[in-house]
PDB file of all heavy atoms in Angstrom:
ATOM      1  N   SER A   1      92.322  76.519  76.488  1.00 85.00           N
ATOM      2  CA  SER A   1      91.876  77.648  75.607  1.00 85.00           C
ATOM      3  C   SER A   1      92.839  78.675  75.486  1.00 85.00           C
ATOM      4  O   SER A   1      93.500  79.117  76.429  1.00 85.00           O
ATOM      5  CB  SER A   1      90.618  78.257  76.075  1.00 85.00           C
ATOM      6  OG  SER A   1      89.526  77.326  76.012  1.00 85.00           O
ATOM      7  N   PHE A   2      93.257  79.169  74.216  1.00 85.00           N
ATOM      8  CA  PHE A   2      94.003  80.272  74.078  1.00 85.00           C
ATOM      9  C   PHE A   2      93.170  81.612  74.548  1.00 85.00           C
ATOM     10  O   PHE A   2      92.135  81.889  74.034  1.00 85.00           O
ATOM     11  CB  PHE A   2      94.535  80.542  72.729  1.00 85.00           C
ATOM     12  CG  PHE A   2      95.419  81.858  72.589  1.00 85.00           C
ATOM     13  CD1 PHE A   2      96.464  81.972  73.105  1.00 85.00           C
ATOM     14  CD2 PHE A   2      94.658  82.916  72.085  1.00 85.00           C
ATOM     15  CE1 PHE A   2      97.228  83.160  73.048  1.00 85.00           C
ATOM     16  CE2 PHE A   2      95.312  84.289  71.967  1.00 85.00           C
ATOM     17  CZ  PHE A   2      96.594  84.292  72.479  1.00 85.00           C
ATOM     18  N   PHE A   3      93.773  82.324  75.477  1.00 90.00           N
ATOM     19  CA  PHE A   3      93.127  83.527  75.955  1.00 90.00           C
ATOM     20  C   PHE A   3      94.320  84.412  76.378  1.00 90.00           C
ATOM     21  O   PHE A   3      95.222  83.839  77.167  1.00 90.00           O
ATOM     22  CB  PHE A   3      92.167  83.253  77.081  1.00 90.00           C
ATOM     23  CG  PHE A   3      91.054  84.393  77.266  1.00 90.00           C
ATOM     24  CD1 PHE A   3      90.019  84.537  76.457  1.00 90.00           C
ATOM     25  CD2 PHE A   3      91.443  85.284  78.262  1.00 90.00           C
ATOM     26  CE1 PHE A   3      89.194  85.621  76.624  1.00 90.00           C
ATOM     27  CE2 PHE A   3      90.482  86.258  78.557  1.00 90.00           C
ATOM     28  CZ  PHE A   3      89.275  86.413  77.703  1.00 90.00           C
ATOM     29  N   GLN A   4      94.210  85.773  76.168  1.00 92.00           N
ATOM     30  CA  GLN A   4      95.320  86.582  76.642  1.00 92.00           C
ATOM     31  C   GLN A   4      95.473  86.440  78.124  1.00 92.00           C
ATOM     32  O   GLN A   4      94.436  86.355  78.945  1.00 92.00           O
ATOM     33  CB  GLN A   4      94.976  88.017  76.283  1.00 92.00           C
ATOM     34  CG  GLN A   4      95.018  88.353  74.756  1.00 92.00           C
ATOM     35  CD  GLN A   4      96.508  88.430  74.289  1.00 92.00           C
ATOM     36  OE1 GLN A   4      97.427  88.320  74.986  1.00 92.00           O
ATOM     37  NE2 GLN A   4      96.643  88.756  73.085  1.00 92.00           N
ATOM     38  N   THR A   5      96.685  86.372  78.635  1.00 95.00           N
ATOM     39  CA  THR A   5      97.033  86.134  80.018  1.00 95.00           C
ATOM     40  C   THR A   5      96.871  87.406  80.859  1.00 95.00           C
ATOM     41  O   THR A   5      96.915  87.189  82.143  1.00 95.00           O
ATOM     42  CB  THR A   5      98.337  85.596  80.171  1.00 95.00           C
ATOM     43  OG1 THR A   5      99.384  86.447  79.546  1.00 95.00           O
ATOM     44  CG2 THR A   5      98.625  84.175  79.479  1.00 95.00           C
ATOM     45  N   ASN A   6      96.525  88.459  80.270  1.00 97.00           N
ATOM     46  CA  ASN A   6      96.215  89.742  81.047  1.00 97.00           C
ATOM     47  C   ASN A   6      94.888  90.186  80.611  1.00 97.00           C
ATOM     48  O   ASN A   6      94.798  90.922  79.590  1.00 97.00           O
ATOM     49  CB  ASN A   6      97.424  90.743  80.883  1.00 97.00           C
ATOM     50  CG  ASN A   6      97.217  92.065  81.595  1.00 97.00           C
ATOM     51  OD1 ASN A   6      95.979  92.300  82.111  1.00 97.00           O
ATOM     52  ND2 ASN A   6      98.262  92.842  81.682  1.00 97.00           N
ATOM     53  N   SER A   7      93.802  89.976  81.331  1.00 96.00           N
ATOM     54  CA  SER A   7      92.485  90.266  80.892  1.00 96.00           C
ATOM     55  C   SER A   7      92.330  91.715  80.686  1.00 96.00           C
ATOM     56  O   SER A   7      91.723  92.301  79.647  1.00 96.00           O
ATOM     57  CB  SER A   7      91.433  89.662  81.833  1.00 96.00           C
ATOM     58  OG  SER A   7      91.491  88.277  81.926  1.00 96.00           O
ATOM     59  N   LEU A   8      92.744  92.544  81.673  1.00 97.00           N
ATOM     60  CA  LEU A   8      92.523  93.917  81.617  1.00 97.00           C
ATOM     61  C   LEU A   8      93.360  94.584  80.585  1.00 97.00           C
ATOM     62  O   LEU A   8      93.069  95.518  79.847  1.00 97.00           O
ATOM     63  CB  LEU A   8      92.838  94.679  83.004  1.00 97.00           C
ATOM     64  CG  LEU A   8      91.952  94.171  84.136  1.00 97.00           C
ATOM     65  CD1 LEU A   8      92.352  94.909  85.375  1.00 97.00           C
ATOM     66  CD2 LEU A   8      90.510  94.289  83.810  1.00 97.00           C
ATOM     67  N   GLY A   9      94.627  94.064  80.365  1.00 97.00           N
ATOM     68  CA  GLY A   9      95.500  94.522  79.250  1.00 97.00           C
ATOM     69  C   GLY A   9      94.877  94.175  77.938  1.00 97.00           C
ATOM     70  O   GLY A   9      95.089  94.912  76.957  1.00 97.00           O
ATOM     71  N   ALA A  10      94.269  92.989  77.870  1.00 96.00           N
ATOM     72  CA  ALA A  10      93.601  92.594  76.608  1.00 96.00           C
ATOM     73  C   ALA A  10      92.576  93.618  76.099  1.00 96.00           C
ATOM     74  O   ALA A  10      92.367  93.906  74.961  1.00 96.00           O
ATOM     75  CB  ALA A  10      93.027  91.202  76.676  1.00 96.00           C
ATOM     76  N   GLU A  11      91.865  94.295  77.185  1.00 97.00           N
ATOM     77  CA  GLU A  11      90.883  95.197  76.787  1.00 97.00           C
ATOM     78  C   GLU A  11      91.615  96.374  76.207  1.00 97.00           C
ATOM     79  O   GLU A  11      90.975  96.966  75.251  1.00 97.00           O
ATOM     80  CB  GLU A  11      90.063  95.538  78.068  1.00 97.00           C
ATOM     81  CG  GLU A  11      89.106  94.505  78.568  1.00 97.00           C
ATOM     82  CD  GLU A  11      88.151  94.979  79.558  1.00 97.00           C
ATOM     83  OE1 GLU A  11      88.548  95.760  80.527  1.00 97.00           O
ATOM     84  OE2 GLU A  11      87.058  94.612  79.534  1.00 97.00           O
ATOM     85  N   VAL A  12      92.645  96.809  76.730  1.00 97.00           N
ATOM     86  CA  VAL A  12      93.392  97.864  76.146  1.00 97.00           C
ATOM     87  C   VAL A  12      93.850  97.581  74.632  1.00 97.00           C
ATOM     88  O   VAL A  12      93.596  98.384  73.690  1.00 97.00           O
ATOM     89  CB  VAL A  12      94.704  98.224  76.904  1.00 97.00           C
ATOM     90  CG1 VAL A  12      95.558  99.265  76.229  1.00 97.00           C
ATOM     91  CG2 VAL A  12      94.304  98.712  78.331  1.00 97.00           C
ATOM     92  N   LEU A  13      94.315  96.332  74.527  1.00 97.00           N
ATOM     93  CA  LEU A  13      94.751  95.896  73.190  1.00 97.00           C
ATOM     94  C   LEU A  13      93.711  95.888  72.111  1.00 97.00           C
ATOM     95  O   LEU A  13      93.775  96.387  71.020  1.00 97.00           O
ATOM     96  CB  LEU A  13      95.531  94.521  73.265  1.00 97.00           C
ATOM     97  CG  LEU A  13      96.152  93.998  72.083  1.00 97.00           C
ATOM     98  CD1 LEU A  13      97.315  94.683  71.612  1.00 97.00           C
ATOM     99  CD2 LEU A  13      96.450  92.494  72.257  1.00 97.00           C
ATOM    100  N   TYR A  14      92.649  95.283  72.567  1.00 95.00           N
ATOM    101  CA  TYR A  14      91.451  95.127  71.557  1.00 95.00           C
ATOM    102  C   TYR A  14      90.716  96.407  71.378  1.00 95.00           C
ATOM    103  O   TYR A  14      90.147  96.723  70.309  1.00 95.00           O
ATOM    104  CB  TYR A  14      90.474  93.997  72.122  1.00 95.00           C
ATOM    105  CG  TYR A  14      91.150  92.733  72.194  1.00 95.00           C
ATOM    106  CD1 TYR A  14      90.707  91.637  73.101  1.00 95.00           C
ATOM    107  CD2 TYR A  14      92.163  92.309  71.324  1.00 95.00           C
ATOM    108  CE1 TYR A  14      91.226  90.487  73.096  1.00 95.00           C
ATOM    109  CE2 TYR A  14      92.795  91.037  71.358  1.00 95.00           C
ATOM    110  CZ  TYR A  14      92.288  90.192  72.295  1.00 95.00           C
ATOM    111  OH  TYR A  14      92.844  88.902  72.350  1.00 95.00           O
ATOM    112  N   ASP A  15      90.668  97.305  72.318  1.00 95.00           N
ATOM    113  CA  ASP A  15      90.039  98.628  72.205  1.00 95.00           C
ATOM    114  C   ASP A  15      90.964  99.389  71.100  1.00 95.00           C
ATOM    115  O   ASP A  15      90.366 100.137  70.331  1.00 95.00           O
ATOM    116  CB  ASP A  15      89.944  99.316  73.532  1.00 95.00           C
ATOM    117  CG  ASP A  15      89.073 100.582  73.412  1.00 95.00           C
ATOM    118  OD1 ASP A  15      87.919 100.416  72.977  1.00 95.00           O
ATOM    119  OD2 ASP A  15      89.458 101.633  73.905  1.00 95.00           O
ATOM    120  N   LYS A  16      92.189  99.205  71.239  1.00 96.00           N
ATOM    121  CA  LYS A  16      93.092  99.898  70.343  1.00 96.00           C
ATOM    122  C   LYS A  16      92.934  99.269  69.006  1.00 96.00           C
ATOM    123  O   LYS A  16      92.914  99.951  67.980  1.00 96.00           O
ATOM    124  CB  LYS A  16      94.561  99.732  70.720  1.00 96.00           C
ATOM    125  CG  LYS A  16      95.626 100.499  69.982  1.00 96.00           C
ATOM    126  CD  LYS A  16      95.280 102.064  69.820  1.00 96.00           C
ATOM    127  CE  LYS A  16      95.441 102.663  71.186  1.00 96.00           C
ATOM    128  NZ  LYS A  16      95.384 104.155  71.084  1.00 96.00           N
ATOM    129  N   ALA A  17      92.675  98.022  68.845  1.00 94.00           N
ATOM    130  CA  ALA A  17      92.354  97.409  67.597  1.00 94.00           C
ATOM    131  C   ALA A  17      91.081  97.913  66.966  1.00 94.00           C
ATOM    132  O   ALA A  17      91.142  98.244  65.667  1.00 94.00           O
ATOM    133  CB  ALA A  17      92.294  95.869  67.789  1.00 94.00           C
ATOM    134  N   ARG A  18      90.129  98.158  67.622  1.00 93.00           N
ATOM    135  CA  ARG A  18      88.821  98.706  67.198  1.00 93.00           C
ATOM    136  C   ARG A  18      89.056 100.168  66.676  1.00 93.00           C
ATOM    137  O   ARG A  18      88.614 100.565  65.606  1.00 93.00           O
ATOM    138  CB  ARG A  18      87.754  98.854  68.283  1.00 93.00           C
ATOM    139  CG  ARG A  18      87.179  97.313  68.595  1.00 93.00           C
ATOM    140  CD  ARG A  18      85.902  97.414  69.245  1.00 93.00           C
ATOM    141  NE  ARG A  18      85.944  98.170  70.476  1.00 93.00           N
ATOM    142  CZ  ARG A  18      85.049  97.943  71.513  1.00 93.00           C
ATOM    143  NH1 ARG A  18      84.067  97.025  71.332  1.00 93.00           N
ATOM    144  NH2 ARG A  18      85.215  98.594  72.662  1.00 93.00           N
ATOM    145  N   GLU A  19      89.889 100.896  67.407  1.00 95.00           N
ATOM    146  CA  GLU A  19      90.257 102.244  67.038  1.00 95.00           C
ATOM    147  C   GLU A  19      91.045 102.315  65.765  1.00 95.00           C
ATOM    148  O   GLU A  19      90.662 103.127  64.840  1.00 95.00           O
ATOM    149  CB  GLU A  19      91.050 102.934  68.120  1.00 95.00           C
ATOM    150  CG  GLU A  19      91.502 104.314  67.826  1.00 95.00           C
ATOM    151  CD  GLU A  19      92.529 104.841  68.764  1.00 95.00           C
ATOM    152  OE1 GLU A  19      92.364 104.573  69.986  1.00 95.00           O
ATOM    153  OE2 GLU A  19      93.589 105.433  68.295  1.00 95.00           O
ATOM    154  N   TYR A  20      92.048 101.420  65.629  1.00 96.00           N
ATOM    155  CA  TYR A  20      92.816 101.313  64.355  1.00 96.00           C
ATOM    156  C   TYR A  20      91.942 100.904  63.207  1.00 96.00           C
ATOM    157  O   TYR A  20      92.159 101.422  62.093  1.00 96.00           O
ATOM    158  CB  TYR A  20      93.911 100.328  64.582  1.00 96.00           C
ATOM    159  CG  TYR A  20      95.146 100.876  65.265  1.00 96.00           C
ATOM    160  CD1 TYR A  20      95.147 102.045  65.963  1.00 96.00           C
ATOM    161  CD2 TYR A  20      96.426 100.268  65.027  1.00 96.00           C
ATOM    162  CE1 TYR A  20      96.279 102.528  66.609  1.00 96.00           C
ATOM    163  CE2 TYR A  20      97.612 100.702  65.619  1.00 96.00           C
ATOM    164  CZ  TYR A  20      97.386 101.926  66.432  1.00 96.00           C
ATOM    165  OH  TYR A  20      98.553 102.317  67.065  1.00 96.00           O
ATOM    166  N   MET A  21      90.986 100.037  63.378  1.00 92.00           N
ATOM    167  CA  MET A  21      90.241  99.588  62.310  1.00 92.00           C
ATOM    168  C   MET A  21      89.256 100.608  61.789  1.00 92.00           C
ATOM    169  O   MET A  21      88.926 100.602  60.538  1.00 92.00           O
ATOM    170  CB  MET A  21      89.435  98.349  62.648  1.00 92.00           C
ATOM    171  CG  MET A  21      90.221  97.138  63.038  1.00 92.00           C
ATOM    172  SD  MET A  21      91.024  96.419  61.619  1.00 92.00           S
ATOM    173  CE  MET A  21      89.752  95.395  61.010  1.00 92.00           C
ATOM    174  N   GLY A  22      88.858 101.470  62.669  1.00 91.00           N
ATOM    175  CA  GLY A  22      87.961 102.618  62.118  1.00 91.00           C
ATOM    176  C   GLY A  22      86.685 101.921  61.790  1.00 91.00           C
ATOM    177  O   GLY A  22      86.040 101.156  62.265  1.00 91.00           O
ATOM    178  N   ASP A  23      86.073 102.621  60.747  1.00 91.00           N
ATOM    179  CA  ASP A  23      84.708 102.365  60.236  1.00 91.00           C
ATOM    180  C   ASP A  23      84.707 101.121  59.372  1.00 91.00           C
ATOM    181  O   ASP A  23      85.358 101.097  58.290  1.00 91.00           O
ATOM    182  CB  ASP A  23      84.061 103.494  59.436  1.00 91.00           C
ATOM    183  CG  ASP A  23      82.692 103.272  58.988  1.00 91.00           C
ATOM    184  OD1 ASP A  23      82.119 102.296  59.435  1.00 91.00           O
ATOM    185  OD2 ASP A  23      82.226 103.995  58.149  1.00 91.00           O
ATOM    186  N   VAL A  24      84.233 100.012  59.964  1.00 92.00           N
ATOM    187  CA  VAL A  24      84.233  98.680  59.158  1.00 92.00           C
ATOM    188  C   VAL A  24      82.784  98.191  58.798  1.00 92.00           C
ATOM    189  O   VAL A  24      82.540  97.140  58.471  1.00 92.00           O
ATOM    190  CB  VAL A  24      85.007  97.554  59.917  1.00 92.00           C
ATOM    191  CG1 VAL A  24      86.504  97.887  60.022  1.00 92.00           C
ATOM    192  CG2 VAL A  24      84.420  97.466  61.329  1.00 92.00           C
ATOM    193  N   GLU A  25      81.863  99.225  58.930  1.00 92.00           N
ATOM    194  CA  GLU A  25      80.514  98.880  58.538  1.00 92.00           C
ATOM    195  C   GLU A  25      80.421  98.420  57.197  1.00 92.00           C
ATOM    196  O   GLU A  25      80.831  99.034  56.225  1.00 92.00           O
ATOM    197  CB  GLU A  25      79.569 100.127  58.792  1.00 92.00           C
ATOM    198  CG  GLU A  25      78.065  99.651  58.626  1.00 92.00           C
ATOM    199  CD  GLU A  25      77.163 100.976  58.942  1.00 92.00           C
ATOM    200  OE1 GLU A  25      77.782 101.921  59.226  1.00 92.00           O
ATOM    201  OE2 GLU A  25      76.034 100.758  58.730  1.00 92.00           O
ATOM    202  N   GLY A  26      79.738  97.246  57.117  1.00 93.00           N
ATOM    203  CA  GLY A  26      79.555  96.604  55.614  1.00 93.00           C
ATOM    204  C   GLY A  26      80.797  95.811  55.222  1.00 93.00           C
ATOM    205  O   GLY A  26      80.818  95.282  54.154  1.00 93.00           O
ATOM    206  N   ASN A  27      81.833  95.704  56.012  1.00 95.00           N
ATOM    207  CA  ASN A  27      83.106  94.978  55.676  1.00 95.00           C
ATOM    208  C   ASN A  27      83.023  93.508  55.989  1.00 95.00           C
ATOM    209  O   ASN A  27      82.338  93.160  57.065  1.00 95.00           O
ATOM    210  CB  ASN A  27      84.246  95.579  56.569  1.00 95.00           C
ATOM    211  CG  ASN A  27      84.953  96.821  55.833  1.00 95.00           C
ATOM    212  OD1 ASN A  27      86.100  97.039  56.142  1.00 95.00           O
ATOM    213  ND2 ASN A  27      84.162  97.461  55.016  1.00 95.00           N
ATOM    214  N   VAL A  28      83.633  92.621  55.278  1.00 96.00           N
ATOM    215  CA  VAL A  28      83.837  91.264  55.473  1.00 96.00           C
ATOM    216  C   VAL A  28      85.286  91.257  56.060  1.00 96.00           C
ATOM    217  O   VAL A  28      86.156  91.640  55.357  1.00 96.00           O
ATOM    218  CB  VAL A  28      83.676  90.462  54.278  1.00 96.00           C
ATOM    219  CG1 VAL A  28      84.185  88.993  54.685  1.00 96.00           C
ATOM    220  CG2 VAL A  28      82.209  90.307  53.813  1.00 96.00           C
ATOM    221  N   ILE A  29      85.428  90.808  57.343  1.00 97.00           N
ATOM    222  CA  ILE A  29      86.750  90.745  58.006  1.00 97.00           C
ATOM    223  C   ILE A  29      87.236  89.370  58.176  1.00 97.00           C
ATOM    224  O   ILE A  29      86.577  88.489  58.680  1.00 97.00           O
ATOM    225  CB  ILE A  29      86.676  91.471  59.371  1.00 97.00           C
ATOM    226  CG1 ILE A  29      86.268  92.946  59.168  1.00 97.00           C
ATOM    227  CG2 ILE A  29      88.092  91.410  60.087  1.00 97.00           C
ATOM    228  CD1 ILE A  29      86.010  93.607  60.528  1.00 97.00           C
ATOM    229  N   PHE A  30      88.411  89.163  57.691  1.00 97.00           N
ATOM    230  CA  PHE A  30      89.041  87.770  58.013  1.00 97.00           C
ATOM    231  C   PHE A  30      89.994  87.966  59.267  1.00 97.00           C
ATOM    232  O   PHE A  30      90.779  88.845  59.407  1.00 97.00           O
ATOM    233  CB  PHE A  30      90.052  87.470  56.910  1.00 97.00           C
ATOM    234  CG  PHE A  30      89.326  86.705  55.755  1.00 97.00           C
ATOM    235  CD1 PHE A  30      88.038  86.687  55.647  1.00 97.00           C
ATOM    236  CD2 PHE A  30      90.082  86.206  54.704  1.00 97.00           C
ATOM    237  CE1 PHE A  30      87.355  86.150  54.637  1.00 97.00           C
ATOM    238  CE2 PHE A  30      89.485  85.524  53.674  1.00 97.00           C
ATOM    239  CZ  PHE A  30      88.092  85.500  53.507  1.00 97.00           C
ATOM    240  N   ASP A  31      89.588  87.139  60.312  1.00 96.00           N
ATOM    241  CA  ASP A  31      90.421  87.194  61.458  1.00 96.00           C
ATOM    242  C   ASP A  31      91.224  85.825  61.467  1.00 96.00           C
ATOM    243  O   ASP A  31      90.772  84.774  61.823  1.00 96.00           O
ATOM    244  CB  ASP A  31      89.472  87.182  62.830  1.00 96.00           C
ATOM    245  CG  ASP A  31      90.312  87.142  64.072  1.00 96.00           C
ATOM    246  OD1 ASP A  31      91.527  87.317  64.023  1.00 96.00           O
ATOM    247  OD2 ASP A  31      89.682  86.861  65.164  1.00 96.00           O
ATOM    248  N   LEU A  32      92.528  86.016  61.066  1.00 96.00           N
ATOM    249  CA  LEU A  32      93.305  84.847  60.846  1.00 96.00           C
ATOM    250  C   LEU A  32      94.233  84.546  62.141  1.00 96.00           C
ATOM    251  O   LEU A  32      94.765  85.520  62.697  1.00 96.00           O
ATOM    252  CB  LEU A  32      94.282  85.079  59.616  1.00 96.00           C
ATOM    253  CG  LEU A  32      93.503  85.388  58.359  1.00 96.00           C
ATOM    254  CD1 LEU A  32      94.419  85.471  57.173  1.00 96.00           C
ATOM    255  CD2 LEU A  32      92.380  84.344  58.064  1.00 96.00           C
ATOM    256  N   TYR A  33      94.327  83.303  62.410  1.00 94.00           N
ATOM    257  CA  TYR A  33      94.928  82.942  63.683  1.00 94.00           C
ATOM    258  C   TYR A  33      94.125  83.412  64.868  1.00 94.00           C
ATOM    259  O   TYR A  33      94.479  84.131  65.767  1.00 94.00           O
ATOM    260  CB  TYR A  33      96.382  83.335  63.892  1.00 94.00           C
ATOM    261  CG  TYR A  33      97.142  83.005  62.692  1.00 94.00           C
ATOM    262  CD1 TYR A  33      97.484  83.979  61.742  1.00 94.00           C
ATOM    263  CD2 TYR A  33      97.872  81.783  62.517  1.00 94.00           C
ATOM    264  CE1 TYR A  33      98.285  83.717  60.657  1.00 94.00           C
ATOM    265  CE2 TYR A  33      98.674  81.492  61.386  1.00 94.00           C
ATOM    266  CZ  TYR A  33      98.804  82.479  60.457  1.00 94.00           C
ATOM    267  OH  TYR A  33      99.579  82.180  59.508  1.00 94.00           O
TER     268      TYR A  33
END
């Protein structure tokens, strides 16, 4: 399975992704790759 090789670092990365995305309520999001 593909999974980030640094689990705790992945939490930093994905938390930052949520912050960057901001308010996505009601959005259809394409997660490509």
Side-chain angles (χ1 to χ4, degrees):
S1 294
F2 172 78
F3 198 81
Q4 290 284 3
T5 55
N6 180 347
S7 299
L8 300 181
E11 290 191 316
V12 174
L13 181 68
Y14 296 151
D15 196 47
K16 185 58 62 173
R18 287 197 299 201
E19 178 191 318
Y20 275 22
M21 295 292 277
D23 183 9
V24 291
E25 186 177 355
N27 277 203
V28 174
I29 300 174
F30 279 9
D31 180 10
L32 306 181
Y33 310 96

